[in-house]
């Protein structure tokens, strides 16, 4: 395959390394500033549009314009989360590729997918298995969910060691930063993957003012997962990285720790890890 990678930050470099390791031909477009698509156009013209797929790994606020440009050329796209930074942009991208919204666009019927890596995490898939009916009454199995709690957090200064985190996209509103678009997008998708029924009922986000940034650094979500109460918190403030999913069920309590890569279960008398 011939793949175009747009953006050479940390994620773009990872995608490039993985594609090369798999034996694919890779061309890259480094995005420095602005939403200018001239670099993409130049790469496409130079290669006569002969790309089998593209990866958009530019800063969040550029995802919409870069993805639209590639879809206009009829190229399948995988975009890093978030898909876009506004609901209107996300809906427009959805309508551009969905054949149920025929508008004669070049991108109709072209794949436009979002990278959600936790669906491939061994621990998340183990938790999904432990939530299945096959494990409902076995040691380690959770049974019917009664309460779901998701907690994640890490101080923003730990994200970019040796660099001023205030200058990074994650800390700037106009670049699509903030804990909601950066972290909670993963959380929401993981819940949709783990549970057959998942809905959000409300939430709260705020800027604590302690980091000197103009985006929210804490957020809470509430809803239901397979009918059970669901609550989640995520922040940029924790001095020690935490990332845990705890499910209290009819057959016991299971907790997945994605930092320690561990799964623990107990029903009060028995334990499993």
């Amino acid at each position: 395959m011939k793949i175009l990678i747009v953006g050479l930050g940390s994620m773009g470099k990872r995608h490039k390394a993985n594609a090369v390791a798999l034996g694919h031909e890779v061309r890259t477009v480094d995005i420095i500033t602005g939403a200018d698509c001239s670099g993409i156009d130049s790469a496409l013209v130079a290669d006569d549009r002969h790309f089998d797929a593209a990866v958009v790994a530019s800063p969040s606020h550029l995802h919409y314009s870069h993805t639209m440009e590639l879809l206009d050329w009829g190229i399948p796209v995988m975009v890093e989360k978030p898909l876009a930074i506004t609901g209107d942009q996300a809906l427009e991208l959805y309508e551009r590729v969905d054949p149920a919204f025929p508008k004669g666009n070049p991108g109709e019927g072209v794949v436009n997918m979002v990278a959600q890596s936790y669906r491939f995490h061994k621990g998340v898939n183990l938790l999904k298995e432990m939530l299945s009916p096959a494990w409902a009454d076995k040691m380690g199995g959770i049974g019917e969910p009664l309460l779901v709690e998701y907690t994640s957090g890490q101080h923003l200064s730990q994200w970019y060691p040796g660099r001023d985190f205030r200058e990074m996209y994650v800390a700037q509103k106009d670049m699509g930063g903030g804990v909601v678009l950066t972290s909670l997008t993963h959380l929401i998708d993981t819940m949709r993957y783990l549970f057959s029924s998942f809905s959000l009922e409300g939430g709260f986000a705020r800027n604590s003012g302690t980091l000197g940034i103009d985006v929210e650094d804490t957020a809470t979500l509430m809803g239901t997962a397979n009918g059970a109460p669901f609550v989640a918190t995520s922040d940029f403030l924790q001095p020690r990285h935490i990332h845990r999913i705890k499910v209290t069920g009819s057959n016991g309590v299971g907790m997945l720790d994605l930092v320690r890569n561990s799964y623990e279960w107990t029903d009060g008398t028995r334990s499993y890890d």
Side-chain angles (χ1 to χ4, degrees):
M1 291 181 63
K2 190 171 185 178
I3 301 172
L4 176 66
I5 296 177
V6 181
L8 282 177
S10 60
M11 293 309 302
K13 290 176 181 176
R14 291 185 198 179
H15 285 299
K16 177 182 178 181
N18 289 336
V20 171
L22 290 170
H24 300 304
E25 182 180 352
V26 175
R27 185 179 178 94
T28 61
V29 177
D30 196 3
I31 303 299
I32 306 300
T33 58
D36 182 19
C37 294
S38 60
I40 297 176
D41 288 340
S42 298
L44 294 172
V45 171
D47 286 83
D48 196 26
R49 298 187 295 171
H50 290 161
F51 287 95
D52 299 293
V55 175
V56 173
S58 50
S60 297
H61 68 300
L62 303 179
H63 288 181
Y64 168 78
S65 60
H66 291 162
T67 301
M68 276 294 194
E69 181 72 8
L70 291 161
L71 292 176
D72 281 345
W73 288 78
I75 298 173
V77 180
M78 182 178 78
V79 57
E80 275 295 325
K81 55 83 186 169
L83 177 64
I85 63 172
T86 70
D88 288 342
Q89 289 180 348
L91 180 60
E92 188 174 349
L93 285 167
Y94 172 71
E95 293 180 347
R96 174 61 67 92
V97 299
D98 195 318
F101 295 87
K103 294 179 179 171
N105 293 309
E108 277 182 18
V110 176
V111 173
N112 181 25
M113 62 182 291
V114 180
Q116 294 289 0
S117 54
Y118 287 114
R119 289 179 176 237
F120 304 93
H121 192 285
K122 289 184 178 180
V124 172
N125 281 284
L126 173 63
L127 180 59
K128 186 177 179 68
E129 183 179 358
M130 294 303 176
L131 284 163
S132 69
W135 282 82
D137 57 356
K138 299 179 182 179
M139 188 170 70
I142 294 170
E144 179 186 355
L146 305 175
L147 174 64
V148 181
E149 303 165 86
Y150 198 137
T151 306
S152 69
Q154 184 178 22
H155 199 277
L156 201 53
S157 62
Q158 299 172 13
W159 287 40
Y160 306 100
R163 303 174 67 180
D164 186 353
F165 63 83
R166 299 171 186 83
E167 297 179 357
M168 308 308 295
Y169 86 92
V170 69
Q172 300 183 46
K173 184 176 181 178
D174 61 357
M175 295 185 71
V179 72
V180 173
L181 288 177
T182 304
S183 299
L184 287 184
T185 46
H186 271 310
L187 183 155
I188 293 170
D189 183 75
T190 301
M191 290 295 99
R192 292 175 61 87
Y193 178 63
L194 288 173
F195 299 96
S196 58
S197 173
F198 176 72
S199 65
L200 292 175
E201 308 297 335
F204 175 77
R206 72 184 291 263
N207 185 331
S208 69
T210 62
L211 299 179
I213 59 180
D214 68 350
V215 294
E216 78 284 349
D217 54 25
T218 58
T220 299
L221 294 177
M222 294 168 288
T224 60
N226 283 13
F230 161 80
V231 61
T233 62
S234 188
D235 65 69
F236 291 157
L237 305 174
Q238 298 297 317
R240 178 178 293 178
H241 187 194
I242 57 173
H243 195 172
R244 296 191 294 260
I245 307 172
K246 179 181 177 182
V247 183
T248 301
S250 59
N251 193 52
V253 178
M255 185 172 76
L256 173 67
D257 190 317
L258 286 97
V259 177
R260 296 170 53 199
N261 286 321
S262 66
Y263 174 74
E264 300 176 358
W265 173 90
T266 182
D267 65 356
T269 59
R270 299 175 298 170
S271 297
Y272 171 97
D273 59 37

